[in-house]
Amino acid sequence: MSFKQNPNKSYATDLITTGGSNSNGAIKIQQSNLNERATTRFEDVLRITNNADKEVNVSVNDDGGSSSITPDPNDLIGDVLDIRYNGNTIVDGSSDGDNAVSLSAGNSKDFTVVVDLRNGNKGEDISSINAIVFAARTAGASGTN
């Protein structure tokens, strides 16, 4: 799997910066100058490519998986910060992979990043999110979009 900003989106550099020397480098999502009483959508800003030779089901692991750091200490992923495909969240719900998106071998899909600062989320700061853990499962995902 490779993750990078969609080069066709001019606002991508305002939200996403990449690190590392290759296309699999770290991606950092930044929050700056967002309306604190709105939901801001960055349509199709994140491109995920399946570099494997098998179809996978891609989702965001909301508990951080086996990471040694606490990826989301304030539990903002899926609520304040969401990753979506065709309007639907890909953040795991009640079970791993239940909101997964199918991605064929060798293909890419563009995903939308949504920051919701309305209502109870006003004033939340997504900079406390240390990592977004994507899961690519070849079997066992309970649902795909």
Side-chain angles (χ1 to χ4, degrees):
M1 304 296 297
S2 65
F3 305 86
K4 61 183 171 181
Q5 61 189 1
N6 183 344
N8 300 320
K9 297 296 178 179
S10 62
Y11 57 73
T13 56
D14 294 334
L15 180 73
I16 297 177
T17 57
T18 57
S21 59
N22 60 42
S23 63
N24 293 324
I27 293 174
K28 181 177 181 178
I29 296 178
Q30 307 173 98
Q31 176 182 352
S32 61
N33 301 320
L34 297 179
N35 185 336
E36 290 188 8
R37 295 183 181 174
T39 299
T40 305
R41 288 176 178 77
F42 296 91
E43 298 288 337
D44 300 332
V45 72
L46 178 63
R47 179 166 291 162
I48 300 177
T49 302
N50 181 355
N51 298 326
D53 59 359
K54 295 180 182 177
E55 179 177 353
V56 295
N57 297 320
V58 177
S59 66
V60 172
N61 187 334
D62 69 338
D63 65 5
S66 60
S67 175
S68 62
I69 60 169
T70 303
D72 184 15
N74 296 322
D75 199 26
L76 302 178
I77 295 174
D79 184 27
V80 176
L81 177 71
D82 197 7
I83 310 295
R84 297 182 185 174
Y85 181 75
N86 282 344
N88 299 311
T89 186
I90 68 163
V91 176
D92 292 340
S94 58
S95 62
D96 289 348
D98 60 355
N99 291 319
V101 172
S102 177
L103 187 55
S104 301
N107 288 313
S108 298
K109 288 187 178 179
D110 294 333
F111 293 81
T112 297
V113 175
V114 178
V115 180
D116 182 357
L117 299 175
R118 298 173 301 149
N119 304 322
N121 295 335
K122 183 180 177 196
E124 292 290 356
D125 184 2
I126 63 173
S127 68
S128 68
I129 299 171
N130 297 310
I132 299 173
V133 179
F134 287 84
R137 299 174 179 90
T138 56
S142 49
T144 58
N145 293 320

